[in-house]
Amino acid sequence: MKGLKIVFVVLAAALIALGAATAYAFHSGGVAECMGCHNIHDAKSTSALLAGTDISSTCVNCHGASGASSYHIVTPDADMPAGTPPGNRTPGGDFGWLKKTYTYSPRAGSNVVDAGDRHGHNIVAIDFTYNADATNLTAPGGDMDATQLSCNSCHDNHGKLRRLSDGTLATTGAPIIGSGSYDTSVVPLAGQAVGAYRLLRGPGSTAGSGGKTFTAVFNAVVPSTYNRSEAVTPTRVAYGAGISDWCATCHPDMHSGTSSLMTHPVNQPIGVDVAANYNAYVGSGNMTGNSNTSFDSIVPFQMDNTTDFATLKAKAVNNGSVATGPASSDRVMCLSCHRAHATGWEYMTRWNATGNEFIAVEGVWPGTDSPVVAAQAAKYSQGRTVAETTKAYNDTAMHYGSYQRSLCNKCHAQD
């Protein structure tokens, strides 16, 4: 039986290796090859005969492999010793940031601990020492038990949700012929379907770990090559309707549409003034930009409220060919400020939003080892090396103001 298990693992690895060239080869938009996740006679889990101790561990078996690659979203511990950042630059971020705790002294007599578990969604994956959130015992703004958070809380591990040829969604019926996530995804013909974006749950999906049932659809398209450096051109994910409502499934009190609390508006047109700010904003003190070139992947936005996949596919690029900023009807969303998995910063924000006034100093990203002395200051570097700070921005070249303030200003222009 041990030999049989090895065969299954090798087969799964081979399929995934093929996936490096075609990023959707293993799941292909729906349920994957069964033995990639289950061991029918020699399982590690007491539940569902999983290959890992728990659901997320089973996922990380493949998605936590060494080296940056399309489907990798968890850098192994051995690949990110102190001073070395997680290596993946997917739009959702690398869960490895959850293992990065920084301690620094911004001023004499002070000591700040920036705990790793504040950097993202704390999935529970025992085999890889990913544990439940030690700070938030329930989902912020909601009541979901943090100990239940798993990959399959958001993603349907069996990928039943599909988009049919007429654009409607279903969890059964026409067979899934491929992924529906990419700019290169096929257009299903009558009697065919493609998978939901990133196998995310939606209307009709059963509840995953944590027991939440999703009613909103996460409409989005990503370029087929996306785990990449953004030093030269950004990776532009085209976000459509439903993003914030989808997040509100677990975080209802974080959303202006589902809470009586005073929260930042989401899923509302940004309006003329904010659109004008975004398009003109280049960096602190520089408002000379224009709407043709103003897109910034560190501050993305939702395209109006579209569900049209042809429109979304045309906007999902990684070569800079679509750099237009928002119209007044486009929308701010949760992912305008946060990444879905994890980031290098507190509250899983896309940029450093806490701890000091500048995110860049003398024209460089800060770091304890920066060649620019001012950028080494503890309150700017916050215990991170230049490599860690840079990777937290997906290797984006520092192109903002020489003393750049928070990227909240991309929309609000208060600097």
Side-chain angles (χ1 to χ4, degrees):
M1 285 301 161
K2 292 288 184 184
L4 183 61
K5 176 182 177 181
I6 292 172
V7 169
F8 288 151
V9 172
V10 170
L11 175 59
L15 289 170
I16 292 167
L18 291 172
T22 52
Y24 34 85
F26 180 63
H27 291 284
S28 295
V31 66
E33 176 263 323
C34 302
M35 300 309 171
C37 303
H38 301 278
N39 286 333
I40 55 176
H41 294 140
D42 189 20
K44 192 170 183 179
S45 170
T46 57
S47 173
L49 301 178
L50 294 174
T53 297
D54 49 52
I55 293 170
S56 294
S57 294
T58 302
C59 299
V60 177
N61 275 338
C62 294
H63 293 280
S66 185
S69 183
S70 61
Y71 58 90
H72 293 178
I73 42 86
V74 184
T75 295
D77 293 359
D79 291 356
M80 50 177 194
T84 300
N88 296 295
R89 295 158 292 196
T90 65
D94 192 318
F95 284 107
W97 290 111
L98 295 170
K99 298 284 189 75
K100 288 290 183 178
T101 292
Y102 299 100
T103 302
Y104 60 98
S105 179
R107 59 191 63 84
S110 66
N111 191 56
V112 174
V113 178
D114 178 359
D117 71 352
R118 298 177 71 85
H119 295 165
H121 277 114
N122 287 269
I123 55 168
V124 177
I126 299 301
D127 294 350
F128 298 89
T129 62
Y130 282 91
N131 302 310
D133 194 318
T135 304
N136 299 302
L137 302 183
T138 58
D143 61 3
M144 180 177 155
D145 183 349
T147 66
Q148 299 300 307
L149 182 61
S150 168
C151 300
N152 87 327
S153 299
C154 301
H155 302 273
D156 180 358
N157 40 318
H158 291 132
K160 292 182 179 180
L161 192 63
R162 67 203 69 192
R163 180 160 44 84
L164 307 178
S165 59
D166 63 358
T168 59
L169 294 169
T171 55
T172 188
I176 296 171
I177 63 170
S179 172
S181 296
Y182 305 106
D183 62 322
T184 55
S185 291
V186 298
V187 177
L189 302 175
Q192 299 178 339
V194 293
Y197 183 75
R198 292 303 191 224
L199 308 183
L200 291 174
R201 296 184 184 277
S205 298
T206 56
S209 298
K212 297 300 180 184
T213 302
F214 291 80
T215 57
V217 178
F218 194 109
N219 291 286
V221 175
V222 66
S224 58
T225 300
Y226 52 86
N227 192 348
R228 58 186 285 279
S229 167
E230 298 188 57
V232 178
T233 56
T235 300
R236 181 167 186 159
V237 180
Y239 294 103
I243 309 302
S244 299
D245 290 341
W246 190 89
C247 299
T249 303
C250 295
H251 305 285
D253 283 346
M254 291 291 187
H255 291 253
S256 53
T258 51
S259 173
S260 60
L261 303 177
M262 300 294 286
T263 65
H264 190 292
V266 292
N267 198 23
Q268 299 177 15
I270 60 174
V272 173
D273 292 343
V274 170
N277 286 342
Y278 188 107
N279 289 323
Y281 193 89
V282 177
S284 292
N286 186 344
M287 295 291 287
T288 62
N290 64 76
S291 61
N292 292 325
T293 59
S294 63
F295 175 75
D296 187 341
S297 63
I298 305 298
V299 193
F301 53 87
Q302 177 179 317
M303 292 175 55
D304 202 338
N305 214 24
T306 186
T307 59
D308 185 274
F309 274 79
T311 299
L312 294 172
K313 289 172 74 171
K315 299 288 187 181
V317 300
N318 63 12
N319 60 6
S321 60
V322 180
T324 50
S328 60
S329 58
D330 290 328
R331 302 184 179 217
V332 66
M333 58 177 179
C334 303
L335 298 184
S336 295
C337 305
H338 304 280
R339 292 191 189 274
H341 294 160
T343 75
W345 313 112
E346 284 188 309
Y347 310 114
M348 52 199 293
T349 53
R350 289 176 175 266
W351 63 90
N352 185 8
T354 61
N356 68 79
E357 68 274 40
F358 298 118
I359 66 170
V361 177
E362 292 196 11
V364 299
W365 297 124
T368 55
D369 56 346
S370 174
V372 177
V373 173
Q376 298 173 7
K379 71 173 185 175
Y380 301 134
S381 60
Q382 297 185 337
R384 294 155 170 85
T385 62
V386 171
E388 288 175 304
T389 304
T390 305
K391 192 70 74 177
Y393 293 107
N394 276 2
D395 290 331
T396 300
M398 217 308 285
H399 60 279
Y400 301 108
S402 58
Y403 276 78
Q404 177 62 42
R405 294 176 184 265
S406 169
L407 290 178
C408 297
N409 291 295
K410 180 68 171 168
C411 291
H412 299 289
Q414 297 298 312
D415 56 338

